[in-house]
Amino acid sequence: MRLTLVRTCRQGDSTTGVLFAGEEVMAHTLEPQWRNLRMERKVKGQTAIPEGIYQVVLTHSVRFGREMPRLLEVPGFRAILMHWGNTVADTEGCILVGRRGASGSLKDSHRTFDRLYQLLRRAAEINDPIWLIIQ
């Protein structure tokens, strides 16, 4: 399975985007501030992950107490998840999913996450590797 995250706006302390599963829009996304890591330093918990291709696996999260999508081998980052949340204050570098809300926020995040999770769970059950392309 291939997911594609197209970042659409880098503004202030947040980065927004659209997450596609194939051609279908699955969610809008919200991340911390995008930084050019070739030119700037990463700020822990306040930096969007770099563009690239990442494998996604479903693993147990102690923080959330359930299985969550985790991005593997993100350079310079640890424990990057895709999860619910409404504002950039709800993430420390992870990718939040939901529907576009007011400027720099998401809404219907839990419902959107559940829909995404079910799609990823079906892929995992048939051993279809999950890849996330971030552009």
Side-chain angles (χ1 to χ4, degrees), residues 6-12 14-18 29-32 34:
V6 178
R7 290 179 170 150
T8 56
C9 184
R10 300 170 180 164
Q11 172 179 320
S14 66
T15 304
T16 57
V18 180
T29 62
L30 183 61
E31 300 172 79
W34 181 88

Side-chain angles (χ1 to χ4, degrees), residues 22-72:
E23 302 296 317
E24 179 185 359
V25 173
M26 286 300 301
H28 291 98
T29 62
L30 183 61
E31 300 172 79
Q33 179 179 352
W34 181 88
R35 299 172 199 279
N36 181 343
L37 296 179
R38 291 184 183 112
M39 309 282 290
E40 299 176 68
R41 287 180 33 145
K42 173 187 172 210
V43 178
K44 185 177 182 190
Q46 298 177 23
T47 301
I49 65 173
E51 288 80 8
I53 301 173
Y54 303 102
Q55 186 171 11
V56 178
V57 295
L58 299 178
T59 60
H60 181 77
S61 164
V62 173
R63 176 180 175 196
F64 290 97
R66 60 166 285 174
E67 190 174 65
M68 301 292 284
R70 178 180 305 270
L71 281 65
L72 300 180

Side-chain angles (χ1 to χ4, degrees), residues 72-123:
L72 300 180
E73 299 181 28
V74 179
F77 291 75
R78 292 184 48 219
I80 298 297
L81 302 176
M82 298 173 76
H83 63 84
W84 55 82
N86 298 314
T87 70
V88 75
D90 297 326
T91 180
E92 294 180 354
C94 296
I95 301 169
L96 304 179
V97 297
R99 289 190 322 130
R100 185 172 298 137
S103 179
S105 70
L106 297 174
K107 60 184 180 180
D108 295 331
S109 192
H110 279 276
R111 186 180 335 196
T112 304
F113 174 83
D114 289 342
R115 189 171 142 238
L116 173 63
Y117 175 80
Q118 292 306 318
L119 180 72
L120 300 179
R121 166 84 350 244
R122 285 192 297 273

